[in-house]
Amino acid sequence: MMIVRWLPAAALVAFGLTGPVFAQAAAQDQPQAVRAAVTDHVAASVAVLDLLTGAVLARFETGGPGGLRPGAAPGQLSLAQGPAGRVDVVDLGLGVESHGDHADLAISPPRLLPRVAEGPKPSHVLGGNGRLASFFDGDGSIVLAQDGQTRRLSANVAHHGLAYPFLASEGPRLLVSHAASPGARPGGVVLLDEAGAELARRDDCPRLHGEAQSNRVIGLGCGDGVLLLDTRTQRFRKVAYPAGGEAGRMVRSLAGGADFHLFAGDFGPQAMTILDPDAGSFAVVELPARRLAFTLDPQRAAALFVLTEDGRIHRIDTLNGRIAASAAAVPRYSLEGGAAVARPRLSAAGGLLAVTDPARGRVLVLDAATLAPLREIALGGAPLNVLALAASGERH
């Protein structure tokens, strides 16, 4: 049995999902705004949706199709456009201002902040504590953006890597991947201080790919386990994958919880894994079909959602490692054809689950607790990546 620690939740929620354990609390503390950004598989644009009403609030022209990640500030998302060589920021117009005994909700029109960073082949863009770090695979450069100012650093060689900004008690820190040669898969990370000086190094993360943060701990997917960095102590440790697993299975994409201290990740084409970083233990959840996409709400991490190629959504209880419910969501999508084929993605917030259906030019909104369909938003084109945020608070 996994033992997962509970931690307090915040008012602004990214990738929000929910399950039965949170149904009563969610009903009592319903977010007042839930918005999502959606990119297209082909078109150079991003749309902002109101998931509560189904309204399309805005459409912005970008440099090209891209991937969405949480931004440096609450309510913001990054949009990395590889072929266009640029990173934009989408501000969803959701703000929460704390006043101690309560929080005020500020809603404003969405806006696009274009060209926050530029360079060859931007890939992983990671934000936190007001800083946004864009890693450019083409030359191994890193652009750090903060308060409208940017500066450029470099990894040891060009590779498909990452730069993870975080704030330690001693000041800003940056975790940067390194590779043995240009174009090789990264095999470890270095920890840098604000001036770019090396503080620590780990060379034992072969085929590094996938990263997430669960409160004070950053997790990195490696070929032989998950490498963990405690951002408070700045110490590393490694949790090996469970014995007896299929040869070659590894975590390539991670998500981290905030209210529960855990990580969820893919584990081969037809399984998920859940890591308790405190206990150093894994749970492996086998899926009934091959996985298309998954998402975890940091603030409601007792539930994990997985979309499989048969078009069904599966809600997994992360506390016991079992599939709790399943329901049909979209028609079948084959995994054949590689990245050239647009396939659904999913994200959720505020008790709502958004699922893109690129073949039919729509976004489906489901009740995250029951998996029941609520509404359909027609966008046209081929909606692909989606990232949802929810915000709650008093309005004056």
Side-chain angles (χ1 to χ4, degrees):
M1 174 183 291
M2 295 189 66
I3 301 175
V4 183
R5 281 70 175 171
W6 180 87
L7 297 161
L12 190 68
V13 183
F15 290 98
L17 306 175
T18 186
V21 69
F22 291 105
Q24 183 177 1
Q28 294 173 352
D29 187 21
Q30 179 67 31
Q32 295 171 299
V34 188
R35 293 179 175 181
V38 181
T39 64
D40 192 272
H41 182 59
V42 177
S45 67
V46 59
V48 178
L49 313 180
D50 185 327
L51 296 186
L52 290 174
T53 66
V56 180
L57 301 176
R59 290 182 188 261
F60 302 111
E61 293 185 1
T62 61
L68 296 163
R69 297 292 297 265
Q76 292 186 352
L77 311 176
S78 68
L79 174 58
Q81 304 144 71
R86 67 187 246 192
V87 176
D88 297 347
V89 167
V90 182
D91 190 325
L92 294 184
L94 300 178
V96 176
E97 183 178 352
S98 176
H99 294 280
D101 61 339
H102 73 282
D104 287 345
L105 175 62
I107 298 177
S108 58
R111 61 194 181 112
L112 180 72
L113 309 176
R115 301 183 183 277
V116 171
E118 296 183 271
K121 297 182 180 178
S123 57
H124 291 226
V125 180
L126 301 169
N129 302 111
R131 294 196 301 167
L132 191 71
S134 303
F135 193 97
F136 293 91
D137 292 355
D139 60 3
S141 65
I142 303 150
V143 173
L144 275 174
Q146 183 175 16
D147 298 328
Q149 304 295 316
T150 62
R151 65 189 182 104
R152 191 175 293 266
L153 305 173
S154 293
N156 67 324
V157 294
H159 63 280
H160 181 52
L162 61 87
Y164 214 128
F166 67 93
L167 185 63
S169 57
E170 299 86 352
R173 296 289 184 262
L174 188 66
L175 191 64
V176 180
S177 61
H178 62 79
S181 59
R185 292 286 297 275
V189 289
V190 293
L191 179 62
L192 307 178
D193 66 11
E194 189 174 13
E198 183 175 319
L199 301 174
R201 169 181 290 263
R202 289 293 291 248
D203 298 319
D204 60 340
C205 188
R207 305 192 302 281
L208 187 161
H209 199 279
E211 72 291 322
Q213 186 163 355
S214 179
N215 297 287
R216 70 179 188 276
V217 177
I218 292 174
L220 303 171
C222 311
D224 55 359
V226 173
L227 182 65
L228 302 174
L229 170 66
D230 189 316
T231 60
R232 182 179 57 191
T233 65
Q234 297 175 62
R235 294 178 180 173
F236 290 94
R237 59 192 173 94
K238 186 90 161 285
V239 181
Y241 294 133
E246 178 185 343
R249 288 206 294 188
M250 64 171 284
V251 167
R252 298 178 185 275
S253 183
L254 271 177
D259 61 341
F260 286 94
H261 204 188
L262 60 81
F263 292 95
D266 55 354
F267 200 55
Q270 203 165 323
M272 300 294 299
T273 187
I274 303 163
L275 167 63
D276 179 343
D278 298 314
S281 62
F282 279 99
V284 176
V285 184
E286 301 292 342
L287 301 172
R290 293 186 297 179
R291 178 190 57 257
L292 289 178
F294 77 92
T295 194
L296 174 75
D297 174 12
Q299 307 299 338
R300 299 173 180 176
L304 165 69
F305 286 96
V306 182
L307 177 66
T308 49
E309 66 176 331
D310 56 4
R312 295 179 65 81
I313 295 279
H314 308 277
R315 188 180 69 238
I316 296 173
D317 186 331
T318 60
L319 305 186
N320 62 27
R322 299 191 183 106
I323 296 176
S326 300
V330 295
R332 177 182 175 85
Y333 276 82
S334 173
L335 279 168
E336 308 307 323
V341 178
R343 301 177 185 87
R345 302 289 185 266
L346 69 164
S347 180
L352 302 178
L353 179 64
V355 185
T356 58
D357 188 1
R360 290 153 189 83
R362 60 180 183 168
V363 175
L364 302 177
V365 182
L366 312 180
D367 184 298
T370 66
L371 304 182
L374 297 177
R375 61 189 56 88
E376 177 181 323
I377 304 173
L379 281 181
L384 184 65
N385 295 304
V386 58
L387 180 51
L389 297 177
S392 61
E394 297 183 9
R395 301 192 67 184
H396 302 290

